[in-house]
Amino acid sequence: MKGRNWVTGTLVFAVVTAALGSFQFGYDIGVINAPQEVIISHYEYVLGIPLEDRKAINNYTINSTNDLPTIPYLRDSTPTSLAEEETTTSTSLITMLWSLSVSSFAVGGMIASFFGGWLGDQLGRIKAMLVANVLSLAGALLMGFSKLGPSHILIISGRSISGLYCGLISGLVPMYIGEIAPTTLRGALGTLHQLAIVTGILISQIVGLNFILGSHEQWHILLGLSALPAILQSLLLLFCPESPRYLYIKLDEEVKAKKSLKRLRGSDDVTKDITEMRKEKEEASSEQKVSIIQLFTNSSYRQSIIVALMLHMAQQFSGINAIFYYSTSIFQTAGISQPVYATIGVGAVNMVFTAISVFLVEKAGRRSLFLIGMSGMFVCAIFMSVGLILLKFCGPYVFFLFAGVVLAFTLFTFFKVPETKGKSFEEIAAEFRKKSGSAQAPKAAVEMEFLGASETV
């Protein structure tokens, strides 16, 4: 049975169930985009802004953010009346509230991302995802009922709590999938986390169309709809096996780990997996605990942690998040008559190429695909800036900044990031030691695994 890596029904069920959390993540990213104008209009209504001021506010707010191309509302530089001053104040308030509605999600995610691994170790991967779903449900309920109360407060609060959920799940899902997947399928199955995210983004954009759920009457249902996958995932998680690596290495429950492996592998012969985990556990027990400070100061870990951080930063600062959050505004600024459909087109392309990467990642390699993607982002960011500057505004220059950032990360990846295709964690560690010039022998392939269980490199 050597080299066997069967894709069993239990494995597929567990991976798909875990990926529902990633789907919720994507849905929450994209859901706020399409109904932007409708939600802002409701904010104005709740705040009691006079009807005659709303068109001016909408003309400004819909097309402006702190980070992206803007179409400023044209008016005299010095207000000539109290009415103009009130309109200016209302405009600033609505802009602030909308910015908080979008950014509070990211803030919540940033805070919770520090605790995903800790929660997974304390409760186990399955229970941790169940606990995280409580946050998802709470956030969805606040947004779902936002039309019945102070909508701006409820939406900002709901988005913050949903962000907390997504921060936790962004660590828990790749961790769980990476730990239950066979070694040769770990990269491909790990990519399903991202595929589920972009699928969630696309679905949220489609159901956010005005004639579906993005209307004045139903936008609150759109925002609260993420409760459905949260409920479904909670039910399905009850039938998923716990991570055998967590059971064996963290809890020392060899019998339970074997039982979980037998379900996942579809065979009673799990000797190879148990032997690998036993070796990892022995190495971990003989290794000192590594603090956060040591990760950056110890030459054995410094190179790998810097590469991991830079790769994550490359994704976050490439400009793609800004495009997803504000794509409707960007296309509207560019003069597209139906910007919502252009936004859906972006989501569709993103999903298709993420699906392609699932099949390419084990053949082409992680590093090669990453370099191709970042190079493409660099070229596209330049074209976006040039194209938007032809409407003659200063705001679009932000994409030149993104282009510079992407170029820097592309060069860093080319010179500093090793290829990890088909390599064990021990071999990856050896690559980092080679690049850093360290001769220290590794004792902790396990540390490499738990620092990057999803093999994102």
Side-chain angles (χ1 to χ4, degrees):
M1 293 294 182
K2 186 177 180 181
R4 182 192 67 233
N5 283 295
W6 291 342
V7 179
T8 63
T10 300
L11 177 63
V12 172
F13 178 83
V15 170
V16 171
T17 298
L20 280 173
S22 307
F23 176 86
Q24 294 178 64
F25 188 176
Y27 186 90
D28 286 332
I29 288 176
V31 73
I32 202 72
N33 197 344
Q36 177 179 349
E37 185 173 358
V38 173
I39 296 175
I40 287 176
S41 177
H42 191 76
Y43 283 2
E44 296 164 357
Y45 170 77
V46 170
L47 294 171
I49 296 175
L51 184 62
E52 58 269 17
D53 292 338
R54 295 184 188 176
K55 286 186 179 180
I57 293 175
N58 285 338
N59 191 34
Y60 177 83
T61 308
I62 297 301
N63 298 284
S64 61
T65 68
N66 292 330
D67 303 313
L68 294 170
T70 61
I71 300 178
Y73 171 58
L74 300 176
R75 55 180 170 288
D76 294 336
S77 58
T78 303
T80 57
S81 67
L82 180 61
E84 286 184 341
E85 291 179 358
E86 290 176 349
T87 300
T88 302
T89 302
S90 299
T91 299
S92 300
L93 177 60
I94 292 297
T95 301
M96 181 190 71
L97 291 176
W98 177 250
S99 298
L100 287 174
S101 300
V102 175
S103 62
S104 58
F105 173 80
V107 173
M110 180 180 66
I111 294 172
S113 63
F114 289 99
F115 302 99
W118 174 84
L119 188 65
D121 286 342
Q122 294 297 311
L123 302 178
R125 304 346 182 195
I126 299 295
K127 290 181 180 178
M129 286 189 280
L130 285 170
V131 169
N133 271 326
V134 174
L135 293 173
S136 178
L137 287 171
L141 287 174
L142 284 173
M143 292 186 289
F145 289 103
S146 59
K147 199 173 183 181
L148 305 179
S151 58
H152 51 294
I153 295 176
L154 293 177
I155 289 177
I156 293 171
S157 300
R159 292 275 295 171
S160 299
I161 295 174
S162 294
L164 292 173
Y165 163 78
C166 292
L168 293 176
I169 218 70
S170 64
L172 290 172
V173 170
M175 181 189 298
Y176 178 69
I177 293 177
E179 290 178 353
I180 67 174
T183 302
T184 58
L185 295 177
R186 190 174 295 149
L189 293 181
T191 309
L192 295 179
H193 164 66
Q194 185 65 27
L195 178 60
I197 290 177
V198 298
T199 302
I201 293 173
L202 178 60
I203 294 300
S204 70
Q205 292 168 343
I206 293 174
V207 297
L209 291 172
N210 184 266
F211 61 86
I212 301 180
L213 290 179
S215 63
H216 285 276
E217 295 77 22
Q218 296 178 310
W219 60 265
H220 60 295
I221 299 176
L222 173 70
L223 297 185
L225 205 59
S226 60
L228 294 183
I231 294 172
L232 177 60
Q233 187 192 44
S234 297
L235 294 174
L236 296 180
L237 281 172
L238 300 177
F239 302 96
C240 290
E242 181 55 272
S243 161
R245 292 179 181 272
Y246 168 76
L247 292 171
Y248 187 84
I249 296 176
K250 290 291 183 181
L251 300 185
D252 197 23
E253 296 278 1
E254 183 172 345
V255 174
K256 291 183 179 179
K258 286 183 176 180
K259 182 179 179 181
S260 178
L261 276 170
K262 289 176 181 178
R263 290 182 61 191
L264 289 166
R265 302 293 182 260
S267 171
D268 290 334
D269 182 13
V270 293
T271 305
K272 183 176 181 291
D273 294 276
I274 290 295
T275 301
E276 289 178 352
M277 288 190 291
R278 183 178 293 117
K279 182 180 178 181
E280 292 171 4
K281 185 179 180 182
E282 290 171 355
E283 290 174 343
S285 63
S286 63
E287 191 71 19
Q288 289 183 332
K289 295 289 184 180
V290 181
S291 67
I292 296 296
I293 295 177
Q294 286 176 311
L295 287 177
F296 292 93
T297 57
N298 191 312
S299 59
S300 299
Y301 311 116
R302 187 189 305 123
Q303 179 78 3
S304 56
I305 194 65
I306 289 176
V307 166
L309 290 174
M310 291 292 282
L311 290 177
H312 282 292
M313 289 174 63
Q315 182 179 9
Q316 299 305 314
F317 289 97
S318 66
I320 189 62
N321 287 341
I323 291 173
F324 277 130
Y325 283 133
Y326 300 105
S327 56
T328 300
S329 297
I330 294 172
F331 287 126
Q332 190 174 34
T333 302
I336 295 178
S337 59
Q338 296 290 337
V340 174
Y341 292 100
T343 293
I344 292 175
V346 172
V349 170
N350 191 31
M351 188 186 74
V352 168
F353 277 87
T354 304
I356 292 174
S357 72
V358 173
F359 301 97
L360 289 180
V361 68
E362 293 295 348
K363 295 182 179 180
R366 284 75 151 159
R367 180 177 179 272
S368 300
L369 290 178
F370 191 85
L371 283 171
I372 292 172
M374 294 298 287
S375 299
M377 282 293 296
F378 170 72
V379 174
C380 290
I382 294 293
F383 275 119
M384 285 189 66
S385 288
V386 172
L388 290 170
I389 287 169
L390 296 176
L391 298 163
K392 297 181 179 180
F393 298 122
C394 294
Y397 281 107
V398 70
F399 285 101
F400 279 133
L401 175 62
F402 287 139
V405 170
V406 168
L407 177 61
F409 283 124
T410 301
L411 294 175
F412 175 86
T413 302
F414 182 80
F415 290 108
K416 293 293 185 180
V417 179
E419 180 56 74
T420 64
K421 182 184 68 172
K423 296 180 181 177
S424 67
F425 291 111
E426 181 62 36
E427 291 170 329
I428 296 171
E431 283 285 342
F432 280 117
R433 288 195 306 277
K434 180 179 178 181
K435 284 184 173 291
S436 63
S438 172
Q440 182 176 349
K443 289 185 179 180
V446 172
E447 289 171 2
M448 286 295 299
E449 176 171 355
F450 285 99
L451 286 174
S454 62
E455 284 200 280
T456 53
V457 179

